[in-house]
Amino acid sequence: MKNIVLTAMAASAVLVSCGTVQSLVQNTFPYTTNVLVSTGVPADKEVSSTATATNVQTWFGGNNNAKIKDVRISDAKISVASPSGNLSAFKTIKIYVSSNGTGERLIASRSNISTNSSSLNLDLNDTGYLDEIVKSTGLTVRTVYELKNQTSSDMNIKVALNFNSVPAS
């Protein structure tokens, strides 16, 4: 009985230490872009803005052989970049990613936005692993938004995404 208890304790310690080591070597890499919301954008109509993610490509160089795996979205946030203000004009926002040769995937969104804050965390969609998209060339981020009412001046919105990965063997 004593051996069983000692074996169980040793196995528990090994499992906990493996999880700790994995979390220590986990990588986080950011992507940011600005989206211009013009005064001419009508309310209650979806509008799309696309940006090529050049800064993510510097992490991997569009290299399918990059030594990472299990890439997932870990954080998505929008904030007012200029002029100072809040996000009260927004009704919905959705963030999609794709790359050359891959389909588009919804990674984050928020509906029924009702905030007077200048920043907002988006709800993450469980899209599974994004390895193929992130490691391919031409990573594209598309932001789709709908306004409750027209803005009185042009507004720049910052979209900030964080991706997590672990080293590949």
Side-chain angles (χ1 to χ4, degrees):
M1 183 62 144
K2 185 177 177 183
N3 286 340
I4 293 174
V5 170
L6 288 175
T7 303
M9 288 176 37
S12 296
V14 168
L15 290 175
V16 168
S17 66
C18 288
T20 302
V21 169
Q22 174 130 356
S23 68
L24 289 175
V25 297
Q26 187 171 29
N27 300 310
T28 299
F29 49 97
Y31 169 78
T32 58
T33 189
N34 284 343
V35 174
L36 175 65
V37 179
S38 299
T39 53
V41 173
D44 297 320
K45 181 181 181 211
E46 278 196 345
V47 179
S48 179
S49 175
T50 304
T52 301
T54 55
N55 54 342
V56 172
Q57 295 304 318
T58 62
W59 287 89
F60 311 113
N63 181 358
N64 270 328
N65 296 321
K67 300 294 183 195
I68 61 164
K69 66 178 184 174
D70 301 345
V71 178
R72 288 186 180 267
I73 184 74
S74 61
D75 184 53
K77 183 177 185 176
I78 59 168
S79 57
V80 178
S82 68
S84 62
N86 61 50
L87 298 166
S88 62
F90 285 86
K91 185 185 229 178
T92 63
I93 191 156
K94 301 173 192 170
I95 310 292
Y96 296 87
V97 293
S98 63
S99 64
N100 296 338
T102 68
E104 192 173 65
R105 306 235 316 254
L106 177 67
I107 58 170
S109 63
R110 179 65 73 96
S111 299
N112 302 319
I113 297 172
S114 61
T115 183
N116 288 324
S117 176
S118 63
S119 65
L120 178 67
N121 288 319
L122 301 178
D123 299 322
L124 302 180
N125 290 15
D126 185 11
T127 58
Y129 295 123
L130 301 168
D131 298 27
E132 181 183 0
I133 293 172
V134 172
K135 291 167 55 173
S136 296
T137 58
L139 177 66
T140 301
V141 175
R142 185 168 72 97
T143 304
V144 177
Y145 62 89
E146 186 177 346
L147 299 175
K148 289 183 229 174
N149 45 47
Q150 280 187 310
T151 59
S152 57
S153 64
D154 288 353
M155 183 186 295
N156 277 307
I157 302 300
K158 178 182 175 183
V159 176
L161 306 174
N162 284 312
F163 298 91
N164 281 343
S165 69
V166 295
S169 316

